[in-house]
Amino acid sequence: MQINKKPEILAPAGSMDALVAAIRCGADAIYLGGKSFSARQNADNFDYNDLKIACELAHKSGAKIHQTINTVVFDDQFDKLEEFVRESVSLGVDAFIVQDLGVINIIKNICPDMPIHASTQMTIHTKQGAFLAKESGFSRIVVAREMSKEQLEDIITDGIEVECFVHGALCMSVSGQCYMSAMIGGRSANRGLCAQACRLPFSAIAGEKRCDLSLKDLSLIQYIKEMSDMGIASLKIEGRMKRPEYVAAAVTACRAVVDVKEPDMDTLRAVFSRSGFTQGYYTNKLGTEMFGTRQKEDVVSADDVFPQLQALYRKEQKITDINFDITIKDGEPTVLKATDGDGNSVTAYGDIPQKAINRPSDLEQAEKQLSKLGDTIYNLRNVTGEIQDGLMLPASAFNNLRRQACDLLDLKRTEKNTTTKSINEVPLSFPKTMNIKPKEMRIDVHTAEQLRLVDMTEIEYAIVPLCETQNLEGYVFTDKIIISLPRYTKNENAVIAQLKKAKEKGFTKIECSNYAHIRIGKILGFEMFGGFGLNATNSYALKSLAEYGLKDTTASFEMKLSQIERLADYLPYGIIAYGKLPLMLTVNCPIKQAVGCGKCEKKLTDRTNREFDVICGGDAVEILNSDTLYMADRLHEINGVTFITLKFYNETPEQVSQVIEAYKNQKKAPENKFTRGLYYRGIM
């Protein structure tokens, strides 16, 4: 770990103008998306020609390009994905930012020496998650935005870089665990098409129009020195949907702090904010202060600062010195050698000098013409050379030589900063070889009490929260219990300690809903089963989970049944077939900040008066869908899976028993509100 090394400033670019703004304002790296597989599909994004230009512009200035492939992928996209990866590598991309295990699998096979960064969509927020990422070959993790200073200090791990958001919009949900946009409108955040439903009115107070899911923007710029000292490698700015002026302001402010100068926070606030900024997660001060919406005055103030921000990136910034050495000899082409501050040298050849009629050329004239570096990245340091007496070059000849030398030097700098990587052929395979047994039934309960009336001889497994295992003392069916772990936790060591005690009591199985759980399960010797939080949407993700040692996994409920059926059986898999599906996992409770825990009614209401249950527990809360998923009468249409899971939250033991019976008998859907989820309509 390199403490006190200047951290990288990583800027967003959703367009070529934003890319230019980022580079010219001092970004060390830029992250951008292609026309496909990007978590910001509504940005302009970059086609192959744009990407080639972007890599050249960045590499000329010594900056890097990080390409986002940070969406989940379906099996029918892998041919296109393979081409996309291969082309991006050949154009000079420096790293990929990835969410999907299947995508990671393909990248490793196509280009083994390509650095891969674990996207914040992978929900890595603990030490064990960082360790698993390191062991899996990631060179960097982009950690969750909900982490406090203490959590960040704990996750810093030798051998893997940590990238942390320091400025920009905050999602209400933990990244990678939001399904609200998908469930409400079919536009998946995990597919780069989030409709930002959370910015719409959601109220924790009945009858009031409020935006209780809308957070202010994050800004940790004042803590950059502190974060640098703790070992954060990269300071990430959110904003691929934002204007280039925003990018310019954010990069300039970060650059100022890294270079030990005072940032212009007033301009940064003016260009975009939601009633100001928040540092609540970092300082561990959650609550009302963190919430805000875009107000009219926020919009008006931006218009005033755009012109001055545009001036920041109108021209190339001088980032390196240049030395010229010129040779002018009778009867020979003029020779101009140029060397930049990084030691790169090129030689340009020009006209044969003329006999001087009036004033001969000298070093003074050469310096005057060669110093006109205008819109280049070079700042003249020195001009030396040998000019024979009585010879003359016109100003135009000097100018042509200067332009030629700068162009050659640009090209050399670009080539030097573009790493050539190997590209392999990868045969795609989606086998169906296992003998799929009939669908077993599992239940997932919120409390141990919900098991009271369940006949466990008819159930394959019951999934029970870790905190509820203490209420199963002496339980006869211990071998049928799968322990579910918190999907977000601030104290991983406490979870590990609880698991050790559970194992001593005979529990042997855990559900892994994030990547830290997989490593914990391996260390402690548990049988591991994948949860929906792993977002498995394709065959190669199943293959990777099998290689991690999982027994089976739950496929993403963002998939259609037809897609689920066609998954290769590298690993047995099942689906959630009943329950109020979780739409958000949030660290900042929307009800607590509005009315406090004492007046909590455990519900949010949207603008259409639909009610969404809010479930407390541990370090995060879950916001559930307003309608219940019901598939008892459609079980014959669910094919290819080895199990179905019935997911219960606030149902009574009697209701749990009734639902199980309904599924055993494939009863018709109830008259009250229910949904088929996304199993038929799918997502974009």
Side-chain angles (χ1 to χ4, degrees), residues 365-597:
Q365 183 198 9
E367 181 168 346
K368 178 181 178 182
Q369 297 304 129
L370 296 176
S371 67
K372 296 178 180 180
L373 290 162
D375 196 20
T376 72
I377 63 172
Y378 306 107
N379 185 58
L380 182 65
R381 183 169 186 178
N382 195 22
V383 176
T384 58
E386 177 187 354
I387 301 178
Q388 286 184 357
D389 293 339
L391 301 177
M392 187 276 294
L393 271 183
S396 59
F398 280 107
N399 293 339
N400 286 335
L401 270 171
R402 183 193 67 245
R403 283 191 289 267
Q404 184 188 156
C406 288
D407 288 346
L408 288 170
L409 203 50
D410 285 350
L411 183 60
K412 186 155 191 176
R413 289 176 61 86
T414 300
E415 291 174 346
K416 181 180 178 181
N417 291 321
T418 303
T419 305
T420 302
K421 299 178 177 69
S422 59
I423 302 177
N424 301 324
E425 293 292 330
V426 177
L428 298 176
S429 175
F430 303 96
K432 282 282 192 184
T433 57
M434 293 184 186
N435 293 317
I436 301 298
K437 60 183 180 180
K439 294 185 284 288
E440 297 279 1
M441 186 186 296
R442 298 179 184 179
I443 59 173
D444 184 339
V445 298
H446 191 59
T447 65
E449 168 65 10
Q450 290 172 312
L451 295 178
R452 181 164 51 84
L453 301 178
V454 175
D455 181 356
M456 288 298 294
T457 62
E458 297 181 340
I459 301 297
E460 183 187 21
Y461 294 119
I463 304 166
V464 181
L466 175 60
C467 61
E468 286 290 308
T469 55
Q470 61 187 354
N471 297 321
L472 291 175
E473 198 74 41
Y475 193 64
V476 175
F477 297 101
T478 303
D479 62 322
K480 286 199 169 192
I481 299 297
I482 298 175
I483 298 174
S484 61
L485 307 182
R487 288 197 286 141
Y488 187 94
T489 181
K490 294 182 179 180
N491 190 341
E492 188 174 59
N493 290 333
V495 171
I496 293 171
Q498 284 179 276
L499 266 179
K500 287 179 178 178
K501 289 181 180 179
K503 192 172 186 186
E504 290 171 0
K505 294 178 180 178
F507 296 100
T508 60
K509 303 172 180 66
I510 63 169
E511 181 184 61
C512 301
S513 291
N514 67 42
Y515 297 95
H517 298 166
I518 295 174
R519 193 170 194 275
I520 292 170
K522 282 184 175 182
I523 292 171
L524 300 183
F526 280 90
E527 291 181 66
M528 297 180 292
F529 302 79
F532 71 87
L534 296 176
N535 292 323
T537 61
N538 60 70
S539 297
Y540 284 100
L542 298 184
K543 183 178 182 182
S544 294
L545 291 174
E547 290 167 354
Y548 278 135
L550 273 66
K551 298 291 185 182
D552 60 37
T553 195
T554 299
S556 169
F557 55 73
E558 291 192 317
M559 300 176 72
K560 294 167 71 172
L561 289 180
S562 58
Q563 293 171 316
I564 292 169
E565 181 180 354
R566 290 195 297 269
L567 287 172
D569 49 12
Y570 287 112
L571 181 73
Y573 57 88
I575 66 166
I576 296 173
Y578 171 85
K580 288 190 173 181
L581 294 173
L583 301 187
M584 280 190 176
L585 179 73
T586 175
V587 175
N588 208 342
C589 179
I591 298 179
K592 183 178 179 180
Q593 64 86 25
V595 298
C597 293

Side-chain angles (χ1 to χ4, degrees), residues 22 45 69 71 90 170 189 193 217 226 231 259 315 385 394 402 413 433 521 529 540 572 586 681 683:
N45 290 319
I69 313 182
T71 63
S90 69
L170 281 175
L193 287 167
D217 279 18
E226 183 174 271
D259 293 342
K315 293 183 178 180
R402 183 193 67 245
R413 289 176 61 86
T433 57
F529 302 79
Y540 284 100
T586 175
R681 57 191 173 102
I683 55 175

